[in-house]
Amino acid sequence: MDPYSESRFIGFVTMVSPLQTRVHFPSSILLKKFFNADDGYHAITGKYIVIEGTGCGFLGKITEIALPEKERLELTESKFEKDVFHPTGKVEILLCFDNYKLKAKKGLDQLPPVSAKVYLCSDTFLGSLLTQFGVKDGILPKTLPLATLPDNENHKIDVSSQALFGRHCAIVGTTGGGKSWTVAKLIEQVVAQNGKAILIDATGEYETLKSNEIEYYKFNEISQEGIYFNYKKLRETDLFALFRPSQQSQLPKLQEAMKSLRLIEIINNKNTPLDITDSLIKNEAFTTSREHGYTTLKKKDTTENFKYISACKNNTSVYSNHCTFEMTALAAQILSECVYDNGSPDNPARNNCQSLISRILLTTNDRSFLNVFDFKNELDLLCKNEFESIFENFLKGKSNVLILSVSNVSTENKLREILVNSIGRYLLEKALSEAFKAASKKSLLLFLDEAHLFLNKKVKDEYSIEVELDAFDRIAKECRKFGLFLVISTQMPRDIPRGVLSQMGTFIVHRLINQQDREAIEFACSDANKSALSFLPILSSGEAMLTGVDFPMPMILKITEPNVKPDSNTPSVF
Ligand SMILES: Nc1ncnc2c1ncn2[C@@H]1O[C@H](COP(=O)(O)OP(=O)(O)OP(=O)(O)O)[C@@H](O)[C@H]1O
Ligand SMILES: [Mg+2]
């Protein structure tokens, strides 16, 4: 493979500066279509070229072609066909490669000499350079047949899977750019490589992917395919997000109530007391009342309160942030907390908590909340699929991908955000406990489509405390070393917190028109310089710029269509 074939010669380097290289085309004919060469047009803006240096060659991209000022006025078609025009071009040098090994070098430590010859880069050579990206120390990584060259569909490009996913990956682009198809293509590759991935489907468009290797479950649906998230896996802060207590008067009562309910659970679970303190609690039997199917703890008088305090001291797990208690009792328990030390009702406190109590009652009785979190412990009769057990089986089992659809979950009161955040946090905790790391275990890829709906979200209203839903931010920052890799897809990079964006090692950037979005990407990937980004608005569906820490230069590719397409068509208007 000779990158410098005379049939593709187009011109000479005439000026070199660190920012820009200029090329002189000795004849306008060299810009014309050359059917004997393999690439159709010889030189047009956007094409890759190679420059022959001594010892090493350079790969560049034509960013501009222009006619000299004085020749412009004389331009006619027939004259242009002949020799008489002398266009010049600007070239951006992308990388240098070894002339003998024909391999890309790390970093650009030199520039081409003036008067060096410039050739059009052949697809074969370009392809061979791109496929080597991400190859470390000569060890061939697993590569994924993911894409082709944009103007040559026959020329396949394999991308190293480690370079692609190894440091979290972001897929961005305006709507219709092809993100969902790219996600489907990547999922296809996860199956082909026998990996493990979870996909959170916000719109239900991935239902078409269901197969033997790909399990599909829907939240807020009572059927074979339905799945729910047991509220006992929630954390205190999730309840704050759901019930939005006010800082001053409601939050302390809510916390107190959760503590009491946890104490009830502890007492109920201690069947055989082991030591003195345990039996003390058991025998000191708090005044509990069981009404309407749930148990609350009554604080009657001062001595009862002392018992309560000492019981809490002996059972510090009442201070945990878990929600393993009877949720239906929570509203009533808050009322029981609104008492004075002597046990008489504290009416001002009750009044203050009224709005909180009604929010709790509304939420824990609302059908969509019940179907998602199973507050009444009733769903296992109707739908056997509890998230944790499904997930554990998925990890152990043969299937490669678990798709969780949240499209039926209402966004009212941030239910959907809270749910997705809880799933994220569950996976985060799993990862931190090294569930995906050990040699015998597989890493897990976590795909989050429409990530702008879930990242950077806070729950706050006029009076309530602010709760940040930050599980995915934390996954981005903490989980790479633990074998949990994030793949986010979004049409609005500007809505993703910068901290998260800068954790992304790889970007697949589809067409991107909005200036702010382009700036967000520019901020996140320093090596994708301005001129590479300037091609983003003119990419067509399915074309994308692939850039990242493990790729020496940004490259524009056409992502191959997935075999099974997601159902993402916009319905027709009429
Ligand atoms: N790799 C591809 N090759 C050919 N056509 C593609 C490709 N990817 C996407 N398309 C076309 O673009 C359309 C939109 O793609 P897709 O649904 O993936 O966009 P999207 O970026 O996910 O949009 P949205 O932000 O609205 O979800 C597809 O219906 C398909 O016709
Ligand atoms: Mg989409």
Side-chain angles (χ1 to χ4, degrees), residues 368-488:
S368 52
F369 282 78
L370 281 173
N371 283 351
V372 169
F373 289 125
D374 192 22
F375 287 132
K376 292 190 175 165
N377 292 316
E378 57 186 3
L379 287 185
D380 58 339
L381 298 175
L382 304 164
C383 141
K384 292 261 173 286
N385 305 325
E386 196 271 317
F387 168 74
E388 187 173 34
S389 59
I390 293 283
F391 179 70
E392 293 292 338
N393 286 339
F394 163 72
L395 279 191
K396 282 186 239 131
K398 282 214 171 71
S399 42
N400 299 109
V401 182
L402 178 65
I403 304 185
L404 303 173
S405 160
V406 294
S407 63
N408 285 349
V409 179
S410 115
T411 48
E412 205 182 340
N413 289 329
K414 296 259 179 355
L415 171 59
R416 194 196 276 189
E417 286 88 339
I418 295 169
L419 169 68
V420 172
N421 186 63
S422 314
I423 297 175
R425 202 200 26 244
Y426 177 86
L427 297 175
L428 170 77
E429 285 170 5
K430 275 265 160 205
L432 295 183
S433 67
E434 311 214 335
F436 314 126
K437 198 184 171 190
S440 59
K441 293 169 186 162
K442 281 185 180 159
S443 298
L444 183 71
L445 288 167
L446 171 58
F447 286 80
L448 187 64
D449 196 11
E450 312 280 344
H452 53 278
L453 299 176
F454 306 110
L455 289 172
N456 209 10
K457 294 290 166 204
K458 290 192 179 93
V459 179
K460 170 150 182 60
D461 63 22
E462 221 173 317
Y463 306 103
S464 76
I465 57 166
E466 180 177 289
V467 183
E468 227 175 317
L469 302 175
D470 61 352
F472 289 94
D473 307 33
R474 288 188 55 203
I475 292 180
K477 286 175 192 150
E478 297 170 33
C479 284
R480 188 166 62 79
K481 295 201 182 74
F482 292 93
L484 176 61
F485 302 111
L486 198 58
V487 183
I488 60 173

Side-chain angles (χ1 to χ4, degrees), residues 87-126:
T88 57
K90 286 184 193 164
V91 165
E92 190 197 355
I93 305 290
L94 298 167
L95 54 78
C96 68
F97 57 88
D98 194 294
N99 264 344
Y100 305 102
K101 294 188 203 140
L102 297 182
K103 278 201 178 134
K105 291 185 175 178
K106 259 226 153 9
L108 194 62
D109 52 0
Q110 46 184 315
L111 287 169
V114 168
S115 85
K117 282 170 127 182
V118 182
Y119 304 84
L120 203 68
C121 183
S122 73
D123 285 353
T124 338
F125 182 59
L126 185 62

Side-chain angles (χ1 to χ4, degrees), residues 174-181 450 491 541-542 558-559 561 568-569:
T174 42
T175 161
K179 300 179 297 297
S180 302
W181 282 37
E450 312 280 344
Q491 38 176 288
S541 286
K558 168 109 170 73
I559 309 290
E561 288 186 18
S568 59
N569 289 341

Side-chain angles (χ1 to χ4, degrees), residues 115-231:
S115 85
K117 282 170 127 182
V118 182
Y119 304 84
L120 203 68
C121 183
S122 73
D123 285 353
T124 338
F125 182 59
L126 185 62
S128 78
L129 274 183
L130 301 189
T131 304
Q132 289 160 14
F133 290 180
V135 179
K136 286 219 177 86
D137 315 323
I139 305 164
L140 261 183
K142 281 200 175 157
T143 54
L144 311 175
L146 208 62
T148 58
L149 289 177
D151 36 30
N152 185 352
E153 304 243 329
N154 296 324
H155 201 103
K156 303 222 164 19
I157 305 285
D158 294 350
V159 183
S160 141
S161 55
Q162 202 60 25
L164 193 61
F165 295 125
R167 299 167 192 258
H168 301 312
C169 171
I171 303 167
V172 297
T174 42
T175 161
K179 300 179 297 297
S180 302
W181 282 37
T182 302
V183 168
K185 184 73 196 166
L186 294 176
I187 292 284
E188 195 178 294
Q189 291 306 317
V190 172
V191 175
Q193 304 288 334
N194 197 18
K196 290 267 180 201
I198 280 202
L199 164 64
I200 294 176
D201 179 4
T203 51
E205 58 189 318
Y206 295 99
E207 192 165 355
T208 48
L209 269 63
K210 210 165 23 176
S211 70
N212 288 341
E213 294 83 18
I214 302 182
E215 297 176 42
Y216 191 89
Y217 293 99
K218 287 181 193 165
F219 276 97
N220 194 11
E221 173 156 312
I222 305 296
S223 75
Q224 287 273 315
E225 286 203 325
I227 189 171
Y228 66 94
F229 190 94
N230 194 326
Y231 75 87

